[in-house]
Each structure stands twice: as structure tokens, then as C-alpha cells.
Amino acid sequence: MFREIVFCAMVFCGVQRSESAITGWSGGGTITGADGTITLTSPLSEDSAVGTTVVSLTAASDGTVTGYSVTGTPDAADVSSTGVVTLKAQVDYEANAELVLLVVADDGSATGTATVTVPIGDVGPFTTTTKELCVKDGLGPGESVGDVSATGVDTYTTTDTTFAVDSTSGAVTTTASVTLNKATTDEYTVPISGAVTGGESNILTLTVKVGDCSGKEKMAAALGSLLLSLLAYTLLSM
């Protein structure tokens, strides 16, 4: 009789000890099982403000998820009770090119960990990355094209061989051996690098158009065509 009671008690205890488990993750990617990795494809800009949502994760459990916690390298993130990860501090691309998060879900009986890698996007000093300038046809060697100066840029450089840029002012000129000829090339694309001393850099794409700067040439051509037509009409009418 005693053995039967002990046996029943053990069976009862076994049923009571049945535990839940984290079975997967979703949001930003999919993990099958309690633990796994997710790599985000869209970079998080380094100028993102505190409070910006990094990723929203949902852990699945055969019980009930009771909460989330997060640690990160760098230590820049918080997570809500619903799995929304936000920035608690700004990130810096020059210090860390990616943010690695360990997000832990807890269902009271078991935990699961999602390792989330977030690429950090570099922000350069050029806030506008395209510009267009127009110059006269026949512009000679060393003549001014315009400038690409921008607040926050310390140094300007270019690899272009037709145009040069002053390293401190951003003034753009033709190189010493170049005379622009619209008949040969009517448009140039010039990469200009802007850099902050010891920090970020990015590229401004400068488009230099030769001639037709204000549409006057087109208007003159149209007017000339009109005058020729009127002259022809007058001659035929005589």
C-alpha cells in the first residue's frame, strides 16, 4: 500500500513539473528554437536619436512570455516588456561599425536568447550629396568652376583629373592642362570627398555642365530658327 502511494505521488509530481520553453523568435528575422541569431539588413544611422526603435522582437513559448531583457555591445539599448528594442544612447560608427544585442526572453520556466546584429550607418559631413554647376564653353586651365563648401567639412579632395578642389575652401577649378569643349564633352561627373579631421567622411557627386547654363543658348537657337523662317516666308511672298 505504501509503495502505491509513493508511486502515485511521484506520478503526480512528474505532471506538476512539466515545464514550458521558448520555441522561437520573430521580428527582424526568424529563429526556430530558443536561441539563435538575426542580422538586420538596414543600417541604423549613427545620428539616430535616443528612443529610436532598433527592432521589435517577439518570442514564442508554449507557456507565456513574462518579460525581456537586453545587453549590448556597445551598451546602447533598452527593451520593453513587449520586446521593442530602443536606443538609450547614441551610437558612433567610428567606435563600433555594428551594434550586437543579446535579447533574452523569459517565460517563468525557461529563457531564450536572440543575438541581433545591427549594422550602424556612417553619417558624413556633406548633408547634401549631389550638386550641379554650369560653366561656359571654352573654360580654360585653372579657371573657377564654383565651390562645394559645406559647414562641418574640414578637408576636400577629389580623384578627378579634369577638375581640382581646394583642400580647405572647397573651391573647384579646372586643372592646369584642361580647356573645356562642349563639342567633346558637355557634362562631367566629379566625386568630391569631404572629411572631418579624425572623423567621418562622405562623397558629394558634383555634376559640371558645359554651356546652356541659363537656357540662353537654347533661346538664342530658337529665336534664330524663327528669324530664318520669317525671312524665308518674306522672300517667298515677294
Side-chain angles (χ1 to χ4, degrees):
M1 180 68 175
F2 176 74
R3 289 182 179 177
E4 291 178 352
I5 292 172
V6 172
F7 175 75
C8 291
M10 289 177 66
V11 172
F12 176 75
C13 290
V15 172
Q16 290 297 102
R17 288 176 183 171
S18 176
E19 295 181 348
S20 58
I22 303 297
T23 58
W25 293 80
S26 61
T30 302
I31 296 172
T32 301
D35 306 319
T37 61
I38 293 172
T39 300
L40 302 186
T41 55
S42 297
L44 175 70
S45 175
E46 66 177 341
D47 64 357
S48 296
V50 171
T52 297
T53 297
V54 179
V55 65
S56 295
L57 298 173
T58 301
S61 170
D62 47 20
T64 301
V65 175
T66 57
Y68 297 86
S69 61
V70 64
T71 56
T73 304
D75 182 17
D78 278 328
V79 64
S80 72
S81 60
T82 57
V84 179
V85 180
T86 56
L87 285 181
K88 69 176 182 181
Q90 278 196 294
V91 291
D92 180 10
Y93 176 86
E94 278 63 43
N96 298 93
E98 61 185 22
L99 173 63
V100 180
L101 304 169
L102 300 179
V103 183
V104 178
D106 190 336
D107 67 1
S109 297
T111 60
T113 302
T115 302
V116 183
T117 300
V118 185
I120 297 174
D122 193 17
V123 176
F126 277 126
T127 55
T128 299
T129 56
T130 59
K131 185 169 185 176
E132 183 177 300
L133 294 173
C134 190
V135 296
K136 66 180 181 179
D137 190 15
L139 192 72
E143 291 196 63
S144 174
V145 174
D147 76 83
V148 292
S149 60
T151 302
V153 178
D154 294 323
T155 307
Y156 303 87
T157 56
T158 184
T159 57
D160 196 83
T161 56
T162 303
F163 300 93
V165 61
D166 186 271
S167 61
T168 55
S169 70
V172 180
T173 60
T174 51
T175 57
S177 58
V178 168
T179 297
L180 301 184
N181 183 347
K182 182 182 176 182
T184 302
T185 306
D186 62 358
E187 184 173 304
Y188 296 84
T189 300
V190 186
I192 306 287
S193 175
V196 174
T197 302
E200 295 91 347
S201 65
N202 64 336
I203 299 294
L204 178 144
T205 300
L206 173 65
T207 300
V208 179
K209 293 189 174 183
V210 182
D212 285 345
C213 292
S214 61
K216 289 181 179 179
E217 290 184 22
K218 292 180 180 179
M219 292 176 63
L223 182 59
S225 178
L226 177 61
L227 290 174
L228 287 173
S229 297
L230 289 173
L231 178 60
Y233 176 78
T234 302
L235 292 172
L236 289 172
S237 300
M238 293 176 64

